[in-house]
Amino acid sequence: MLALCAERDGLVVSLSRIVASRPPADLAERTRATAAVFGRILDATRPGATGAALYGAARDAYAAVGFPGEELKHHQGGAIGYRAREWTAHPNSAEVVQARQAFAWNPTIAGTKVDTALIVDGAIEMLTTSPDWPAIELGGTVRASDVWLI
């Protein structure tokens, strides 16, 4: 797995990519579950939402995909921009999602992660997609990176 935060012209994005030649039998299941958690967090990331509410959305999403408590094993990410994380979501986060703000959510299930999304007036735009990389469709134009099997 490559997990990277990169800066260009003062702005930071985050992405993760996984390449596997002989993956564990459950890697596809964990990756799809992580993508589903990512999709649920993105759905909840709307102007006015608090970091605490978004953390709650992540917690509920992990439970819904069969991995309750996974949110306790790694930070869930948050707003990104001029730093790798401007703030991270946690149970007591008072930070509020703004109308034009980028987010690098970090759902993680034992070795899987995803990308950075920009929220513009309630619409989601993925910033770190790779056109030729395998992807998991999350609805509309939103995709999460899948495992590249070699």
Side-chain angles (χ1 to χ4, degrees):
M1 178 193 321
L2 168 75
L4 173 75
C5 288
E7 180 228 334
R8 180 176 176 187
D9 298 327
L11 297 177
V12 179
V13 295
S14 177
L15 67 88
S16 296
R17 298 292 184 269
I18 301 170
V19 177
S21 61
R22 288 186 297 264
D26 66 342
L27 181 61
E29 173 194 358
R30 287 184 284 120
T31 301
R32 281 173 176 48
T34 301
V37 172
F38 181 55
R40 297 265 305 264
I41 298 170
L42 284 176
D43 285 346
T45 307
R46 297 290 179 240
T50 65
L54 296 169
Y55 183 87
R59 180 193 60 236
D60 295 347
Y62 282 115
V65 298
F67 291 89
E70 200 71 28
E71 75 281 357
L72 301 172
K73 297 178 181 177
H74 197 281
H75 81 85
Q76 297 307 302
I80 193 169
Y82 296 103
R83 295 184 302 184
R85 294 299 186 283
E86 301 287 334
W87 53 265
T88 58
H90 57 81
N92 299 313
S93 299
E95 294 87 356
V96 176
V97 174
Q98 303 303 308
R100 300 180 64 83
Q101 192 168 20
F103 286 85
W105 292 116
N106 212 31
T108 304
I109 298 173
T112 60
K113 295 184 185 187
V114 286
D115 299 294
T116 300
L118 178 64
I119 309 300
V120 179
D121 301 326
I124 299 168
E125 178 184 343
M126 298 303 297
L127 298 181
T128 55
T129 58
S130 303
D132 295 330
W133 199 273
I136 300 166
E137 302 294 329
L138 297 177
T141 60
V142 180
R143 303 165 18 136
S145 297
D146 203 349
V147 176
W148 188 303
L149 297 174
I150 56 172

